[in-house]
Amino acid sequence: MNSDNTPDATIKVEKRANGRWAFVLTYRGVTYPAEGQFASPLQAQAAAHAAKKLLERRG
């Protein structure tokens, strides 16, 4: 969380037209496009959290 109590990152998991799942990650105001072709929403969410952790480490 930053100083005004808003989260640094938001994650949206969405179903694509082909029936697969993807995630959209917004981190510090930058939106990264939909990523992945996951079989379940849980897999997409786990991948999104891993991507968020990598961004946090980079600073």
Side-chain angles (χ1 to χ4, degrees), residues 22-40:
F23 68 88
V24 176
L25 175 64
T26 302
Y27 183 72
R28 293 186 180 170
V30 178
T31 300
Y32 298 90
E35 293 287 333
Q37 295 285 324
F38 301 99
S40 73

Side-chain angles (χ1 to χ4, degrees), residues 1-56:
M1 293 247 184
N2 56 21
S3 61
D4 58 349
N5 285 337
T6 58
D8 285 340
T10 59
I11 297 170
K12 293 181 187 175
V13 175
E14 53 190 40
K15 194 169 191 177
R16 292 192 159 187
N18 64 0
R20 306 292 280 181
W21 294 87
F23 68 88
V24 176
L25 175 64
T26 302
Y27 183 72
R28 293 186 180 170
V30 178
T31 300
Y32 298 90
E35 293 287 333
Q37 295 285 324
F38 301 99
S40 73
L42 184 60
Q43 289 174 334
Q45 187 177 23
H49 281 285
K52 183 184 101 174
K53 291 286 185 189
L54 287 173
L55 287 172
E56 288 172 345

